[in-house]
Amino acid sequence: MTSGDMRYGNLQTAPRFSQEAQQPSKPAAESSISPTIERAADWLLARQHPEGYWVGELEGDTILESEYVLLLVWLGRGKDPIVQQCAEYIRRQQIPTGGWSLFPGGPLEISASVKAYWTLKIAGDDPNAEHMVLAREAILAAGGVERVNSFTRYYLALLGIISFRQCPAVPPELMLLPRWCPFNIYEMSAWSRTIVVPLSLVWAFQPRRSLPPEHHIDELFLRSAAELPVVMENSGQLDGMKQQTWIPWDKVFRTVDQVWKFFERMHLKPFREYSRRRAAKWVLRRLEKSDGLGAIFPPIVWTIIALRCLGYAEDSPEVQGQLHELEKLTIREGDTARLEPCRSPVWDTAISVNALREAGIPAQHPKIARAVNWLLSKEVRSPGDWTVNHRGLEPGGWYFEFNNEFYPDVDDTIMVTMALSRCLTGSNQSNWSATLLGHQKSTRHPDADLSVVVASATDAPERVIADMDRMQPTISAIRRAVKWTAAMQSRNGGWGAFDADNDREVLTRVPFADHNAMIDPPTADITARVLEMYGRLGVRGGDPMFERALRFVWDEQETDHCWQGRWGVNYIYGTWQVLVGLTEFGVNPEDSRLQAAARWLKEKQQADGGWGETPQSYDEPALRGIGNTTPSQTAWALLGLMAVGEHNSPAVQRGIEYLKRKQTVDGTWDEPEFTGTGFPRVFYLRYHYYRHYFPLMALGKYANLMKDS
């Protein structure tokens, strides 16, 4: 037998011809867990779309239905049947205390509650009906309309309840700020950018539709609509600034807001027409290869309004295209309708593939192969907003939705890359693994010479060339994704979601930043997952970029040894991802900091063997690790503990028993709780497949560890 090294463009192969491929595989894990895994794998495989993807419902709170109805009313379509369907859904989501919350079991949220009440009143609900009286009393007790956020104020202005002067100014002149200006639009997070630009056109035109008196909500004001201040108060939903400053930025920006409005009243707007054209061009350009602007609900709504302001007829292809995207987000069920904030097929498919591979489904399985081909078809191959700060970098990576070419993100990119690296399919007699090599320059450098070594054990050398041809598209996509991800590293060593160094905290103090996500700073969960990706590709450090990444993650550890989760609820999510990411990258599982985090997880295990945490822990950190137990959060805790060698511990055994016990007869799990995070303290998500593929992943991991022990 011989061994050699073969190059194929950027692909290298190191075939190992041996008798290993002839040997039978080790027996499966203990029989007691195998049926649970098999049922879960069958359930997931059966739900794959014929094109190769998985997509579960992405559920948010009632602001989606309320804002959709308010948009339709502004368009003059308040009598459309869907208004009544959305209203019925909103009625069913009212909490016992009278208002509406951001997640099941959560407290009243004032903006969601005001819009829900208003929508029901528009739909014809009697203000004296019991549920309306209860809602009105709860809203007034929480501070009334005076406490709503800036985006809610814009809806109030659009429908004539207040004036636009009572909204924070979002002028289109923002488009004219040069790149060196610290307040230009590319210093904002990608999602904020896609909201702010069309919203600036709404500010420029200030369109209004008057409602009949019976649709007004005067009864929700503590004083009156006319007395609503023209300047927003400080939001109670904003996180504190990490970098303290002697400049009171919130007061500075409120003053700027007042001064700007004064100049506009004096008609001092010399650049308004030019800036409007710039904003319109920016929006229209980004509708291409996208499921609506940013492929998420809020920018699509503001784009529709902006297009109408620009003179596009409602039956124009541009407006109809955006309305169609909202229709695609709509789920009708019985006499109700609800909307998703976006779709999550790339994310769901990548995690499903990782879970199925962990559960022992072979890479050659037809449904795995179909998923790989679908993921490859969604790779970004065009420049996007990220190009502004990374000119010359080859496009790569993946986005979250079906189509969102301008906005690939780091989290989806690394999740897909890990899935692809586990699915390098050769013949039925050979499986391949991938290892990343960098040459001459740092892997972060856009011109870095990266190669991917793939290796397999096979007794048939003649299959190697055919396998290489088959794998070449996957290897090329992995290489591009790694280079793109490396370039997205921020100066402080961490990674954010969409951009590098998107951490200018002063922007969180502008009056329209009360969605608590004006910037996209690096986070420990994404940074740890990046390190996990590199670890899975065989990289174990040796580059300054990794030293800075590790330092960033260590610095983010809380005093009680857990990590906060930015994109999942919450400290359980963040701690899981760090434990898995760092150990996969090669950090010693016995490291005292990791062991302390593992102890924290074990301390949070509940009497039924599971783990759970409420989204309220973002507002009240004392609630970290506390909440109803859920299958997804239990799976995260188990994966974190197993990463540091706890698979034989009583805590893990009890957690596995929890998942086995909670599995339904058809092979899945029930989970009504919201365990996904959109904007902390402002918007949460229920990923309907989190309840399934994460438990499957944890069970598969446990079975593999027990098999090997």
Side-chain angles (χ1 to χ4, degrees):
M1 302 299 174
T2 60
S3 177
D5 180 73
M6 305 177 68
R7 292 180 179 267
Y8 190 87
N10 285 299
L11 169 67
Q12 297 181 35
T13 69
R16 298 190 301 274
F17 310 132
S18 71
Q19 297 300 318
E20 294 173 7
Q22 303 283 345
Q23 298 173 356
S25 60
K26 294 182 180 180
E30 298 174 331
S31 59
S32 63
I33 197 173
S34 294
T36 308
I37 295 173
E38 290 169 6
R39 286 193 298 270
D42 289 344
W43 187 96
L44 190 55
L45 288 168
R47 280 154 181 79
Q48 187 185 39
H49 189 275
E51 291 183 24
Y53 63 82
W54 282 269
V55 60
E57 181 181 343
L58 191 58
E59 182 181 345
D61 62 73
T62 58
I63 64 165
L64 299 164
E65 293 75 35
S66 298
E67 292 182 359
Y68 187 39
V69 169
L70 297 176
L71 168 68
L72 292 176
V73 170
W74 184 83
L75 290 171
R77 294 171 49 186
K79 300 297 184 182
D80 282 13
I82 196 171
V83 170
Q84 293 301 323
Q85 293 174 309
C86 288
E88 179 58 27
Y89 179 77
I90 291 170
R91 289 185 200 103
R92 298 182 185 183
Q93 306 307 309
Q94 188 174 17
I95 62 178
T97 55
W100 284 262
S101 62
L102 299 179
F103 56 90
L108 175 147
E109 200 283 322
I110 189 65
S111 295
S113 298
V114 166
K115 284 181 284 194
Y117 177 97
W118 190 15
T119 298
L120 294 182
K121 196 172 183 184
I122 288 171
D125 286 27
D126 184 350
N128 294 316
E130 182 180 356
H131 69 286
M132 295 291 278
V133 172
L134 188 65
R136 183 165 62 250
E137 291 175 349
I139 289 169
L140 291 171
V145 177
E146 286 86 349
R147 296 292 303 278
V148 301
N149 62 25
S150 58
F151 296 134
T152 303
R153 283 201 183 194
Y154 266 86
Y155 282 101
L156 292 167
L158 284 169
L159 294 174
I161 302 298
I162 64 174
S163 71
F164 274 94
R165 284 189 62 247
Q166 293 165 300
C167 300
V170 187
E173 285 81 2
L174 287 169
M175 301 298 299
L176 307 183
L177 295 178
R179 284 288 298 112
W180 53 261
C181 176
F183 308 118
N184 77 86
I185 63 169
Y186 294 101
E187 295 292 329
M188 304 175 189
S189 62
W191 54 84
S192 296
R193 200 179 310 137
T194 58
I195 294 172
V196 164
V197 177
L199 191 62
S200 75
L201 290 167
V202 176
W203 172 264
F205 287 97
Q206 301 191 2
R208 293 168 60 91
R209 176 180 288 274
S210 297
L211 294 178
E214 62 268 22
H215 291 168
H216 284 216
I217 51 172
D218 296 342
E219 66 272 24
L220 297 186
F221 287 84
L222 294 182
R223 301 180 70 177
S224 70
E227 294 175 279
L228 189 69
V230 297
V231 176
M232 298 284 295
E233 296 181 0
N234 288 340
S235 171
Q237 292 179 307
L238 284 177
D239 291 332
M241 295 176 66
K242 290 186 176 181
Q243 296 182 349
Q244 297 302 315
T245 173
W246 59 271
I247 301 175
W249 285 108
D250 51 350
K251 295 180 180 179
V252 170
F253 285 124
R254 286 202 297 272
T255 301
V256 170
D257 183 71
Q258 290 177 297
V259 171
W260 187 273
K261 290 171 180 175
F262 171 79
F263 281 129
E264 290 207 3
R265 289 201 306 275
M266 297 296 103
H267 304 288
L268 298 175
K269 301 177 286 186
F271 302 107
R272 178 54 52 89
E273 185 57 35
Y274 177 61
S275 61
R276 283 195 328 207
R277 290 198 302 270
R278 287 279 297 271
K281 181 179 179 181
W282 191 96
V283 169
L284 291 168
R285 175 74 177 88
R286 283 156 181 77
L287 299 184
E288 301 172 10
K289 300 181 181 180
S290 175
D291 297 331
L293 182 60
I296 53 177
F297 176 88
I300 297 173
V301 169
W302 296 118
T303 296
I304 292 169
I305 299 170
L307 289 172
R308 295 290 287 120
C309 292
L310 290 167
Y312 289 87
E314 188 170 336
D315 61 357
S316 67
E318 293 81 3
V319 174
Q320 283 298 306
Q322 298 306 291
L323 286 170
H324 180 60
E325 296 301 338
L326 291 181
E327 178 63 30
K328 285 157 58 177
L329 296 177
T330 304
I331 298 172
R332 290 174 171 82
E333 191 172 79
D335 58 351
T336 70
R338 61 185 184 274
L339 283 91
E340 298 177 87
C342 61
R343 309 298 304 283
S344 56
V346 172
W347 184 244
D348 284 336
T349 301
I351 301 177
S352 294
V353 169
N354 278 301
L356 289 166
R357 291 291 290 122
E358 193 70 68
I361 303 301
Q364 293 90 351
H365 192 288
K367 294 200 172 187
I368 297 292
R370 197 175 301 134
V372 167
N373 289 334
W374 186 84
L375 287 171
L376 290 173
S377 75
K378 295 300 174 181
E379 185 193 9
V380 170
R381 300 299 296 129
S382 304
D385 278 11
W386 56 270
T387 313
V388 171
N389 292 319
H390 297 90
R391 300 189 185 279
L393 177 64
E394 182 181 16
W398 282 266
Y399 38 78
F400 184 78
E401 305 86 353
F402 281 107
N403 299 286
N404 195 12
E405 189 80 4
F406 270 84
Y407 298 102
D409 68 272
V410 172
D411 219 3
D412 280 276
T413 296
I414 54 187
M415 189 63 80
V416 173
T417 301
M418 289 191 289
L420 294 179
S421 71
R422 303 176 76 157
C423 298
L424 297 175
T425 56
S427 64
N428 288 334
Q429 289 77 30
S430 60
N431 285 306
W432 296 79
S433 61
T435 303
L436 179 70
L437 293 180
H439 303 289
Q440 297 175 346
K441 296 177 180 177
S442 165
T443 51
R444 188 171 187 264
H445 196 285
D447 297 323
D449 179 15
L450 293 181
S451 296
V452 177
V453 172
V454 291
S456 176
T458 178
D459 62 346
E462 66 276 6
R463 295 192 182 100
V464 171
I465 298 301
D467 285 353
M468 286 194 300
D469 288 339
R470 187 182 297 109
M471 292 186 294
Q472 180 61 33
T474 302
I475 295 297
S476 297
I478 290 174
R479 180 187 60 82
R480 288 188 291 267
V482 170
K483 292 182 67 174
W484 185 85
T485 300
M488 292 297 116
Q489 188 179 29
S490 295
R491 289 183 296 265
N492 65 7
W495 275 267
F498 288 85
D499 294 290
D501 301 313
N502 196 269
D503 54 4
R504 198 174 295 278
E505 285 192 305
V506 295
L507 286 173
T508 66
R509 268 45 196 172
V510 299
F512 53 86
D514 48 8
H515 59 300
N516 200 32
M518 195 66 181
I519 56 176
D520 179 16
T523 60
D525 48 7
I526 292 183
T527 302
R529 188 171 280 144
V530 171
L531 292 173
E532 180 186 359
M533 176 196 72
Y534 277 108
R536 289 188 178 275
L537 291 173
V539 177
R540 293 292 188 271
D543 190 303
M545 67 176 285
F546 299 129
E547 296 175 8
R548 291 187 293 111
L550 287 169
R551 189 182 311 117
F552 172 82
V553 173
W554 292 130
D555 288 346
E556 291 294 302
Q557 190 170 23
E558 301 284 331
T559 56
D560 58 352
H561 312 298
C562 60
W563 279 268
Q564 188 179 46
R566 166 60 181 87
W567 297 100
V569 179
N570 174 357
Y571 294 91
I572 292 175
Y573 182 95
T575 303
W576 152 61
Q577 189 52 74
V578 170
L579 291 176
V580 170
L582 267 57
T583 53
E584 188 68 42
F585 186 69
V587 175
N588 189 340
E590 297 299 321
D591 186 289
S592 61
R593 294 163 290 188
L594 298 184
Q595 288 297 314
R599 286 194 297 274
W600 181 87
L601 280 176
K602 287 190 284 187
E603 290 167 1
K604 298 303 178 182
Q605 188 174 28
Q606 299 190 33
D608 63 359
W611 281 263
E613 183 174 357
T614 171
Q616 194 64 23
S617 62
Y618 286 101
D619 292 273
E620 302 176 55
L623 295 175
R624 63 180 74 187
I626 298 173
N628 296 336
T629 56
T630 67
S632 63
Q633 291 168 320
T634 297
W636 298 340
L638 287 170
L639 288 164
L641 289 174
M642 288 187 286
V644 293
E646 292 278 347
H647 53 281
N648 283 313
S649 69
V652 168
Q653 302 298 321
R654 291 174 57 221
I656 293 296
E657 288 301 318
Y658 171 92
L659 291 180
K660 288 172 60 180
R661 188 174 65 252
K662 293 292 185 178
Q663 189 180 40
T664 64
V665 293
D666 58 349
T668 189
W669 289 265
D670 292 327
E671 184 174 285
E673 291 82 5
F674 284 31
T675 63
T677 307
F679 305 149
R681 307 178 69 183
V682 174
F683 187 63
Y684 300 103
L685 297 161
R686 179 189 173 202
Y687 290 80
H688 280 220
Y689 278 1
Y690 271 22
R691 65 186 168 96
H692 190 91
Y693 47 54
F694 282 120
L696 175 60
M697 187 184 295
L699 291 166
K701 184 69 172 179
Y702 175 77
N704 291 328
L705 288 170
M706 295 304 292
K707 177 175 58 178
D708 294 335
S709 62

